Amino acid sequence: MKKFGLVGFPLGHSFSSKFFNEKFQNEHIDAQYENFELPSIEQLPALLAANPQLCGLNVTIPYKEKIIPFLNDMSNEAKAIGAVNVVKVLQQGNRPRLIGYNSDVIGFSGSIEPLLAAHHRRALVLGTGGASKAVLYALHKLGVETQLVSRVGRSGIISYADITPHMLANDFKLVVNCTPVGMYPHTDECPPLPYEAMNEQTLLYDLVYNPSETLFMKRGAEHGAVVKNGLEMLLLQAYASWDFWNKE
C-alpha cells in the first residue's frame, strides 16, 4: 500500500487526511494518507526512514520554507516562489529522493481569479511565511500589485499599525490573509485592520478554511465586503498535489 501524508505543526485544523482518504476509497486506490505532526522539521529524516512506503507529502505551517534544505530538487516554479508545499518521494534504497513543488499557487490562482474586478488592482498580503510567497507570486502573474504586511514593519513590509482607513477605502480593495490568525481553535481572533473602512468593492480572501467563516471574513462582510475562505484553494491544490505525485 502506498502512503501519503501531511507534515506540519500543529495539524488539528487540517482537512487533508479526510479528503485524500475519501478519494482513495471512492476511486479504489490502494493508498492511505496520514497526518505527521512534527514539532521540528529536523525530524523529517526519521519520519522518512520509519515510513519506506511514503510516495508523497504535503507541507503546511510552519515548514513550507524550512523543508527546502532537505530536498534534492525543486520545480522551477517552486524555486521562483521560494516555498514548497508538495514533496514527491522517490524511494531509492536507504536514501529517498525528495522533489519539491508548489501547488498553493495553482489553488490560490484558480480560486481567486473569478472574483477579481478592475478595482482589485492593489492588494495587502498579510503575513510573510511560505503561503504568502505563493500568494505574491500568483497575484503578480494576475497583474495585481502587492504590499506585504507583518506585525513588525521593515524594508518593503509595512506593519498593521501603518494601515489607515484611507488606504483600505481608496487604495487596497483586496486583502489576503496568509496568517493562521483566526484558525481553529483560535476562532475569536482576527488581523487588526480598520474594517469600518471596507465596502462592497472590498474583497477579503482568507487562506484559513476552518472555521468556514473566520472573524476576519465576518467583520469585513458586516461592512459590505465580498469574502471567501481557503477551502476551494485547499481542494484545487490537493488535486494538483496528486498530479505532482504521479508525474513521471
Side-chain angles (χ1 to χ4, degrees):
M1 178 182 289
K2 292 181 178 180
K3 184 181 285 189
F4 302 87
L6 176 66
V7 171
F9 189 84
L11 295 178
H13 66 282
S14 177
F15 291 169
S16 295
S17 178
K18 181 176 185 294
F19 170 84
F20 277 108
N21 284 319
E22 286 183 356
K23 173 184 173 67
F24 298 155
Q25 183 176 359
N26 294 337
E27 299 179 22
H28 306 290
I29 298 171
D30 188 21
Q32 67 181 63
Y33 191 101
E34 295 184 19
N35 284 348
F36 298 109
E37 282 198 340
L38 299 184
S40 168
I41 194 61
E42 303 299 327
Q43 296 173 302
L44 181 65
L47 169 66
L48 293 168
N51 295 273
Q53 65 275 58
L54 263 176
C55 298
L57 292 168
N58 286 122
V59 185
T60 190
I61 296 170
Y63 299 136
K64 293 183 181 183
E65 297 165 290
K66 294 178 182 177
I67 200 168
I68 290 176
F70 294 87
L71 305 177
N72 299 102
D73 200 2
M74 296 167 62
S75 70
N76 290 334
E77 192 164 58
K79 289 177 183 176
I81 294 167
V84 163
N85 75 308
V86 181
V87 176
K88 183 172 183 176
V89 182
L90 298 172
Q91 298 293 346
Q92 299 177 340
N94 295 327
R95 291 191 175 183
R97 179 174 175 80
L98 307 181
I99 305 173
Y101 299 91
N102 193 298
S103 67
D104 276 341
V105 67
I106 297 171
F108 177 73
S109 297
S111 178
I112 198 171
E113 190 169 11
L115 300 175
L116 295 178
H119 52 266
H120 296 133
R121 62 189 185 279
R122 302 179 73 190
L124 293 177
V125 178
L126 314 182
T128 57
S132 70
K133 289 189 172 184
V135 166
L136 289 175
Y137 184 89
L139 289 175
H140 290 164
K141 288 190 73 173
L142 291 168
V144 179
E145 296 179 29
T146 57
Q147 173 60 64
L148 274 173
V149 183
S150 186
R151 285 172 293 182
V152 179
R154 49 196 184 275
S155 178
I157 302 173
I158 65 173
S159 72
Y160 288 97
D162 295 324
I163 302 173
T164 65
H166 182 272
M167 288 170 62
L168 283 183
N170 298 280
D171 300 326
F172 295 94
K173 296 294 189 177
L174 171 58
V175 184
V176 184
N177 179 35
C178 302
T179 78
V181 174
M183 185 172 69
Y184 176 85
H186 304 291
T187 58
D188 59 344
E189 300 176 0
C190 66
L193 300 171
Y195 292 91
E196 69 280 1
M198 299 176 182
N199 56 45
E200 66 279 355
Q201 287 193 334
T202 306
L203 171 58
L204 299 188
Y205 190 108
D206 201 333
L207 267 63
V208 173
Y209 55 84
N210 185 9
S212 59
E213 184 185 43
T214 60
L215 187 56
F216 167 72
M217 295 166 60
K218 184 177 181 180
R219 293 192 63 185
E222 288 173 350
H223 295 280
V226 175
V227 299
K228 187 176 180 68
N229 68 21
L231 183 59
E232 185 182 28
M233 175 181 171
L234 171 76
L235 297 176
L236 292 175
Q237 71 84 17
Y239 294 137
S241 297
W242 184 247
D243 291 339
F244 285 135
W245 291 331
N246 291 281
K247 190 176 182 179
E248 294 297 330

